[in-house]
Amino acid sequence: MSSILIKQGRIIDPARGIDGVGDVLIRDGKVVADVAGADLNGVEVLDASGKIVTPGLIDMHVHFREPGMEEEETIASGAEAAVAGGFTTVACMPNTAPALDSEAHMNFVLREAKVAGLAEVLPVGAITAGRKGQEMAEMANMARGGAVAFSDDGTSVPSAAVLKQAMLYAKMLDKPILEHCDEPTLAEGGVMNESFVSTTLGLPGIPAEAEEIIVARDIYLAKLTGAHLHVQHISTRGSVDLIRRAKEAGIRVTAEVCPHHLALTHDNLKSFDPVYKVAPPLRAREDVDACIDALADGTIDVIASDHAPHLREEKELELAYAPCGLIGLETTVGVLFTELLDKGRVTLNRLIEAMTCAPDKILKLNRGTLADGVVGNVTIIDPEMKWMVDPAKFKSKSANCPWAGQELKGRVCATVVAGRIVFRLP
Ligand code: DOR
Ligand code: ZN
């Protein structure tokens, strides 16, 4: 196997508290810490001067639409989009058709990802059979098949009793429960955040409380069962407060936030453009500010894209009929660098931590650092490069991207998975 030497980049490895210029050597697919003592004959050199070198970025929340909606995304096209966006490892949600709810489905995802040979794609198994919310799926079998976590993402588990039982199993299997928090009877029919803006636009709203009721319920269930609850795509100030208090009380809870909930607000819906329709909805400025502060202070652990590809003919229907979701794998780094880093809201180390060791710790992957012997996944970012977002150039099969036509600063220039360069900016 070949070797790669990534030279003179600014290495940021928050797991080890490292931030400084240096070299990273990968041999036989693994990181070699002792670069000075290594035989460098025949190594391929990647010059990273002026660039940021991080452990391969991890996105623990993506939707690849296979099986069922392969026109929107496949595991292979999603993996290609992932590495183009700097993500070496992604966890894909089970809201496919049929839902990923069996050991065979876990095997299927892992096999397709291996064939594609780009990013590592790790399956998340459904919590309930068929994602129907009625009874628990075969969680132990899915864990044996490689499930890294369980989620009914797209909807909350409606029954507290079913979720309680699933949490007891998840605890036994040592896997987290990833919960989409949106109380179904409050969320039904809503297209945006319930607020003065929704009233003036005459659009049906979803209140912040729809999210917070489920966050609160699930925190109680995590306390009751001792399971690890991970709150997906948190979006309100009230949810942030609940997470903060639960953490202070020693309950096993973590949370993630998406770039769109940090960079956009419900004011974007004034355009009536369905590209901004997402679940949970874009919220008010005060919610966005609370999420940014919580990301900065670690109350929110992780950044995840919730990459949600949709067909143009479906996404461009009027708001009431358009599906929720936007694609994010290829814009996450640019959006975060432009909207948070450049504006001084969150430090670079914290941003990288939220996309490397924080998700790694939750999913227990033994990635997320460049320590000796770890799988050689690396992301190289040019923090100064300006680029125009053009979804026609994306590797994703879908184009539902709210940043289309905008300039971003900060771009991934190379991605390395297990010592192989799987993406390089042309
Ligand atoms: O906006 C969303 N889209 N939120 C979700 O939770 C699901 C996702 C999808 O599958 O399209
Ligand atoms: Zn999702």
Side-chain angles (χ1 to χ4, degrees):
M1 228 185 198
S2 60
S3 307
I4 304 181
L5 182 67
I6 302 165
K7 280 193 82 147
Q8 290 302 297
R10 176 178 169 193
I11 302 169
I12 300 186
D13 185 357
R16 296 183 300 150
I18 286 176
D19 179 355
V21 173
D23 300 344
V24 174
L25 176 64
I26 303 166
R27 169 159 293 158
D28 299 331
K30 303 265 168 65
V31 178
V32 178
D34 182 16
V35 183
D39 172 12
L40 297 178
N41 256 333
V43 299
E44 183 178 355
V45 175
L46 268 181
D47 177 25
S49 46
K51 313 279 194 324
I52 293 165
V53 175
T54 70
L57 303 181
I58 300 169
D59 187 345
M60 64 180 288
H61 190 152
V62 302
H63 297 267
F64 295 165
R65 305 297 193 193
E66 196 175 353
M69 286 297 279
E70 289 83 354
E71 320 87 281
E72 294 179 340
E73 201 80 282
T74 60
I75 292 166
S77 69
E80 204 180 347
V83 295
F87 294 94
T88 58
T89 308
V90 300
C92 67
M93 293 301 138
N95 63 337
T96 47
L100 305 174
D101 69 353
S102 71
E103 185 176 355
H105 283 131
M106 303 300 106
N107 293 331
F108 166 74
V109 171
L110 291 169
R111 201 165 55 234
E112 291 300 308
K114 198 168 174 191
V115 170
L118 296 164
E120 303 172 317
V121 183
L122 306 172
V124 173
I127 296 173
T128 65
R131 266 186 74 251
K132 291 193 169 73
Q134 304 289 321
E135 57 197 83
M136 240 180 63
E138 293 174 337
M139 290 170 63
N141 290 354
M142 285 191 279
R144 191 172 59 204
V148 291
F150 300 99
S151 177
D152 271 5
D153 180 49
T155 44
S156 298
V157 177
S159 158
V162 170
L163 186 60
K164 177 193 162 202
Q165 192 191 18
M167 279 187 173
L168 290 170
Y169 272 77
K171 184 186 171 195
M172 182 178 74
L173 298 166
D174 199 21
K175 309 276 179 216
I177 289 280
L178 322 179
E179 177 84 316
H180 172 118
C181 297
D182 225 358
E183 202 286 319
T185 62
L186 286 174
E188 198 185 343
V191 302
M192 69 171 292
N193 184 41
E194 186 169 291
S195 56
F196 182 71
V197 182
S198 67
T199 306
T200 53
L201 296 176
L203 292 172
I206 303 168
E209 285 77 0
E211 177 171 314
E212 292 151 9
I213 285 168
I214 299 293
V215 173
R217 179 197 74 172
D218 289 9
I219 287 170
Y220 279 118
L221 291 175
K223 182 172 172 228
L224 175 67
T225 59
H228 176 177
L229 166 69
H230 175 80
V231 174
Q232 299 185 288
H233 40 47
I234 197 169
S235 72
T236 79
R237 188 175 63 172
S239 296
V240 165
D241 289 342
L242 288 165
I243 299 289
R244 188 173 282 128
R245 293 212 310 266
K247 284 186 167 185
E248 280 164 11
I251 298 166
R252 283 177 77 196
V253 55
T254 52
E256 76 191 23
V257 65
C258 304
H260 47 274
H261 289 123
L262 298 169
L264 304 171
T265 71
H266 60 191
D267 286 332
N268 289 97
L269 269 303
K270 290 177 181 168
S271 64
F272 291 94
D273 187 341
V275 78
Y276 298 111
K277 185 180 175 190
V278 61
L282 302 176
R283 303 287 187 182
R285 183 76 245 168
E286 60 167 21
D287 295 304
V288 173
D289 284 336
C291 288
I292 294 173
D293 291 345
L295 174 67
D297 73 20
T299 302
I300 296 177
D301 306 80
V302 164
I303 298 167
S305 74
D306 195 8
H307 177 83
H310 287 291
L311 286 179
R312 184 182 203 126
E313 50 267 41
E314 286 182 6
K315 193 64 185 169
E316 289 184 356
L317 293 171
E318 58 194 281
L319 272 169
Y321 303 106
C324 291
L326 51 87
I327 55 172
L329 278 169
E330 291 168 83
T331 48
T332 288
V333 166
V335 168
L336 296 173
F337 275 52
T338 307
E339 296 294 334
L340 299 184
L341 196 61
D342 255 26
K343 295 182 179 164
R345 300 292 302 266
V346 183
T347 65
L348 178 58
N349 273 269
R350 180 66 201 115
L351 280 184
I352 301 304
E353 183 181 47
M355 292 188 284
T356 56
C357 53
D360 179 78
K361 198 168 155 201
I362 291 166
L363 299 179
K364 302 181 201 72
L365 304 176
N366 198 22
R367 304 280 189 274
T369 177
L370 294 171
D372 190 54
V374 170
V375 175
N377 293 352
V378 184
T379 302
I380 305 176
I381 302 167
D382 184 336
E384 300 300 330
M385 189 184 292
K386 292 185 174 160
W387 58 289
M388 283 293 280
V389 179
D390 178 4
K393 295 193 180 133
F394 282 170
K395 304 297 181 193
S396 171
K397 282 190 163 189
S398 289
N400 50 311
C401 167
W403 289 281
Q406 288 184 43
E407 187 182 76
L408 297 177
K409 187 176 148 196
R411 185 156 196 191
V412 171
C413 28
T415 308
V416 176
V417 172
R420 280 177 50 235
I421 302 171
V422 287
F423 170 77
R424 218 166 172 169
L425 200 59

